[in-house]
Amino acid sequence: MACFAKSPSDLSLSIPTIVETDGVTQYEIEVKIGEVSWRVLHRYRDFQELHEKLVELVSVSKDLLPPKKVIGNRNPAFVEKRKAGLEKYLREVLIYLQLTMPREFVEFLNLHEYDIIYLLHTMAEKFYLDGDSVLNNSKSYVFSVLELYAISERLKLPSEVSEKKYDFSHVLDFCSQLQKIAVVPRKSENAIEGRSRTDTPLGSSNIIPKTLKFDLVAFKTLQEIQLIGISPENVSNAATIRDTLKTLLVHLTDTRTLSDILLCDDIHKTAVNDPAKVWKCVEIANFADNKINSIDESIKLLPKLSTLILDRNELTSVQNLNTLPSLSSLSLTENQIAQCPDWHLELGNLVTLILSQNFIQSLAGFRKMYSLVSLDVSCNQIGEIDEVDHLAKLPCLENIKLTGNPVAGSIDYRSKVLSRFVERISEIYLDNEKASQKEVDTALVLAALKISQDKRDSPKKVSSSLGFLR
């Protein structure tokens, strides 16, 4: 990102191209500050309007701008001559205004979009005028990664003298009072495009969002942060929010392990036992829509975590969750989980478990999860009613979702499932619905028949076993 204030002599202006659109001639201005560049399109009328303002406000010479021509102004030779004249005009104006840089000239060149200082001037003016109403309403705000980068870099620069409405203190004061922020690649883009757009330049510039690192030292009371399409590795210092944050959300990134998130500011991702890296207050972690394929031991850096959402990732199993004593809700929708062997060893205190749209065939792994109240295994590969027997003795279970499994296509599916709960038939919500009276009656009959069948089968099993021994 550019910083004109740091090196004014690095700013260069040129007009390399003429663009004709629907009969309108526009001049493409290339603005360069060091290695950062962008392009701005303006027609001659825009130059005229700028010139009139500069003449009035800062006494630029009236004769500096190439004169208007009514007849023959589309002649290629004339247009080319005008292009050279306008380029000369910009360079002479820049020399004249380099120390003052009026806002009109800044916005004409789009410096307020790509330069740290002038972008922050825009933010400062907005917060100076509207900051109190925003904070009174929600204490939340959406930042582009460009804005957070600008704030981080500005903190490294000496103070500047500017108009009151442009003072950087307005930005710092606003940030220090926020409780929730979201960070996106571009303010004008839909957040769901985030993952695919971090590699592409911002606007007409050569600035790539994924290369912009930022810290969060300006935020003093932050309780929630969302990174949408922004890699956690862009966060260069998370120390200031580790003591206050309660909700952590990271979506639409290529992140593969939790350590990439929880140790975002540790280059080697090895400080899992460092007390300074603990997220002391985080209760909700939502890491949906990434590429996470393992839950590594860094998860223990969230000792107060109660809700963990890992939907739409690439997990095939769960590990290390037994280090979270407060975990009560886990969502793993749309992963690649096929087996859940003895999950009570990992998730003994879990109350809510969502495993929809995976590849699970058996419910045996849940048979000892005695704290479970709600289980969603919809849209898996469960084919046999007998699998429900593994859930029937869970004392707290009230909600079960099995819709979308092969078993749900069987005749009297609901009554057959409910019959396995015998005395608790009327208490169970199956696929979000309690049993109708007809379903209860059918389930009770099926339960009685099963009990009778089990009694008849028991002697046969004993006899078979004795026969085997003989």
Side-chain angles (χ1 to χ4, degrees), residues 155-166:
L155 287 168
K156 303 173 185 177
L157 299 174
S159 59
E160 62 165 340
V161 178
S162 60
E163 292 183 50
K164 183 178 180 180
K165 63 181 179 180
Y166 295 145

Side-chain angles (χ1 to χ4, degrees), residues 80-92:
E80 192 65 32
K81 181 179 179 182
R82 174 177 277 179
K83 177 173 82 75
L86 291 175
E87 183 176 285
K88 181 182 178 183
Y89 168 79
L90 287 174
R91 290 174 176 172
E92 290 182 356

Side-chain angles (χ1 to χ4, degrees), residues 13 60 89 107 132 162 215 220 237 251 263 277 300 305-306 319 344 352 365 370 402 433 461:
L13 303 173
V60 167
Y89 168 79
E107 292 181 356
D132 288 342
S162 60
D215 61 42
K220 308 302 182 185
N237 183 357
H251 303 311
L263 292 169
K277 299 297 182 181
K300 69 182 182 182
L305 191 68
S306 61
Q319 311 87 21
H344 64 282
T352 300
Y370 298 121
L402 284 167
E433 290 184 26
K461 292 177 181 178

Side-chain angles (χ1 to χ4, degrees), residues 386 389 420 446-466:
D386 287 347
D389 289 341
R420 303 305 170 103
L446 292 173
L449 290 172
K450 186 175 188 305
I451 291 170
S452 177
Q453 183 65 45
D454 289 344
K455 287 180 179 179
R456 287 198 299 271
D457 289 345
S458 294
K460 293 180 182 179
K461 292 177 181 178
V462 172
S463 175
S464 175
S465 299
L466 291 173

Side-chain angles (χ1 to χ4, degrees), residues 409-453:
S410 61
I411 298 173
D412 288 333
Y413 145 73
R414 285 180 56 82
S415 295
K416 288 177 180 178
V417 171
L418 292 166
S419 71
R420 303 305 170 103
F421 291 87
V422 193
E423 297 177 356
R424 300 179 58 222
I425 290 173
S426 60
E427 301 173 9
I428 299 297
Y429 284 84
L430 176 59
D431 301 331
N432 292 329
E433 290 184 26
K434 273 195 171 183
S436 64
Q437 188 57 53
K438 181 180 179 180
E439 288 172 337
V440 170
D441 294 341
T442 304
L444 287 171
V445 172
L446 292 173
L449 290 172
K450 186 175 188 305
I451 291 170
S452 177
Q453 183 65 45

